[in-house]
């Protein structure tokens, strides 16, 4: 099922560039319905349920996935590097953080009976080898390295062109981008268990490193004097762009647009850190009442 879901349009495309791919649509709908049912179960049981903003974030994440995998960004990525670049940026910078901000794992665990949650934890995180593996996987160095390697590897011409001619390779590419991005945002927002959440300084370092990697790739594409990906030499890019112009536009989007995106994230993370420090200081040194 992953093939039509992560590289859709196997059935065909409409004049607007949207695809009718039943397995992909069914999986997205099933995910949304499962989240909604878990939310209702938590409310009915009187447990703490996520605020509305988290629910909205999750469903916006699903909508962005539909746009990236069923919409024009997937339909036309064989003709345009810009479309393909936008597709990847949506998966990494929009879908992944929105889905994590919805805190689906926390919601599903709250929807289950306590005895079942305890059993799940006994079978997973309480086992020493599982706990050690998760600690290594969720460390700041591992998360950052996985994201950086995925970005660099799939922009190497040989491997990038392979994604355009082989559906299976394209699926693997999307899995790498979305999976590593989910892992990245997971340890920054609120992982389960919570001790996997990275310290504020590490969140800043991780974001800065990924920003530099992405901007470097974007700059190389923008400033390259010739086509980096031979596949697009014979492609007809939209908007009347030449293949080289299309490549430069894609590079600018990743270089400038991606850089601006991560700069905003850095500022938000810094503000969150400073506010947390202020609250900590206020708790330790309360202002005496008059």
């Amino acid at each position: 099922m992953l093939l039509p879901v992560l590289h859709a349009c196997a059935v065909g495309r409409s004049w607007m560039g949207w695809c009718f791919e039943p397995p992909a649509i069914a999986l997205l709908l099933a995910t949304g319905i499962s989240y909604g049912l878990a939310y209702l179960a938590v409310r009915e049981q009187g447990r703490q349920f996520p605020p509305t903003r988290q629910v909205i974030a999750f469903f916006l994440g699903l909508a962005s996935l539909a746009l990236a995998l069923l919409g024009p960004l997937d339909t036309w990525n064989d003709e345009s590097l810009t479309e393909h670049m936008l597709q990847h940026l949506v998966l990494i910078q929009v879908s992944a953080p929105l889905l994590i901000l919805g805190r689906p794992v926390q919601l599903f665990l709250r929807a289950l009976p306590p005895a079942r949650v305890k059993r799940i934890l006994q079978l997973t995180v309480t086992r020493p080898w599982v706990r050690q593996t998760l600690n290594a996987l969720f460390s700041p160095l591992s998360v950052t390295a996985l994201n950086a390697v995925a970005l660099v590897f799939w922009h190497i011409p040989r491997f990038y062109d392979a994604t355009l001619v082989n559906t299976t390779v394209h699926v693997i590419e999307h899995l790498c981008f979305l999976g590593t991005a989910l892992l990245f945002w997971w340890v920054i927002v609120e992982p389960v268990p919570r001790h996997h959440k990275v310290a504020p300084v590490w969140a800043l370092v991780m974001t800065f490193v990924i920003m530099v990697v992405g901007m470097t790739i974007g700059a190389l594409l923008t400033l390259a004097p010739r086509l980096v990906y031979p596949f697009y030499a014979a492609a007809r890019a939209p908007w009347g762009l030449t293949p080289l112009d299309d490549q430069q536009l894609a590079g600018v989007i990743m270089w400038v647009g991606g850089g601006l995106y991560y700069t905003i994230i850095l500022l938000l993370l810094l503000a969150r850190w400073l506010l947390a420090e202020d609250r900590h200081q206020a708790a330790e040194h309360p202002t005496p009442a008059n």
Side-chain angles (χ1 to χ4, degrees):
M1 181 176 286
L2 284 176
L3 290 179
V5 170
L6 291 173
H7 183 53
C9 297
V11 170
R13 62 193 183 193
S14 71
W15 67 274
M16 295 183 65
W18 283 85
C19 308
F20 179 71
E21 186 57 56
I25 296 171
L27 185 57
L28 290 172
L29 287 175
T31 303
I33 292 172
S34 298
Y35 186 93
L37 291 175
Y39 179 83
L40 293 176
V42 170
R43 292 198 63 169
E44 290 176 358
Q45 295 169 13
R47 299 181 183 177
Q48 182 181 6
F49 52 89
T52 303
R53 65 178 182 275
Q54 291 183 14
V55 179
I56 293 174
F58 185 82
F59 284 102
L60 285 177
L62 286 181
S64 66
L65 274 179
L67 173 64
L69 301 175
L70 294 172
L73 298 181
D74 188 80
T75 301
W76 306 113
N77 61 30
D78 290 350
E79 286 83 7
S80 170
L81 175 59
T82 298
E83 296 274 1
H84 207 177
M85 185 68 70
L86 286 171
Q87 181 188 42
H88 294 163
L89 293 180
V90 169
L91 290 174
I92 296 169
Q93 299 179 359
V94 180
S95 300
L98 285 174
L99 290 172
I100 294 300
L101 285 171
R103 292 170 171 80
V105 175
Q106 291 89 333
L107 178 63
F108 287 127
L109 288 176
R110 289 175 188 169
L112 294 173
R116 186 170 299 179
V117 174
K118 182 178 180 181
R119 180 59 176 165
I120 292 174
L121 295 177
Q122 288 175 343
L123 294 174
T124 55
V125 296
T126 57
R127 295 174 181 264
W129 69 271
V130 175
R131 186 169 60 252
Q132 292 170 4
T133 301
L134 293 177
N135 289 340
L137 178 63
F138 294 149
S139 71
L141 291 177
S142 297
V143 172
T144 306
L146 288 171
N147 275 266
V149 169
L151 281 173
V152 173
F153 179 86
W154 290 112
H155 284 93
I156 296 173
R158 176 180 179 182
F159 302 114
Y160 181 93
D161 281 349
T163 67
L164 299 173
V165 299
N166 189 305
T167 301
T168 301
V169 177
H170 207 165
V171 169
I172 295 172
E173 178 198 42
H174 286 174
L175 280 173
C176 288
F177 283 145
L178 183 59
T180 56
L182 288 171
L183 186 61
F184 179 88
W185 296 107
W186 171 257
V187 300
I188 289 178
V189 176
E190 189 176 346
V192 176
R194 289 186 177 181
H195 71 266
H196 286 145
K197 186 174 182 178
V198 297
V201 64
W202 272 114
L204 291 170
V205 171
M206 291 164 54
T207 303
F208 180 77
V209 171
I210 297 304
M211 179 181 72
V212 171
V213 173
M215 291 181 66
T216 301
I217 296 172
L220 291 174
L221 291 174
T222 303
L223 302 176
R226 59 183 63 87
L227 286 181
V228 175
Y229 306 116
F231 179 91
Y232 289 112
R236 293 185 177 181
W239 315 303
L241 295 175
T242 67
L244 185 58
D245 289 339
D246 180 54
Q247 174 179 291
Q248 291 171 342
L249 178 58
V252 168
I253 291 173
M254 190 172 189
W255 183 7
V256 180
L260 178 61
Y261 172 88
Y262 283 114
T263 298
I264 294 173
I265 296 299
L266 284 170
L267 293 175
L268 291 174
L269 291 173
L270 181 60
R272 186 179 71 171
W273 186 12
L274 295 176
L275 289 173
E277 287 295 316
D278 287 343
R279 288 193 295 267
H280 180 71
Q281 292 293 331
E284 287 190 343
H285 306 286
T287 302
N290 293 330

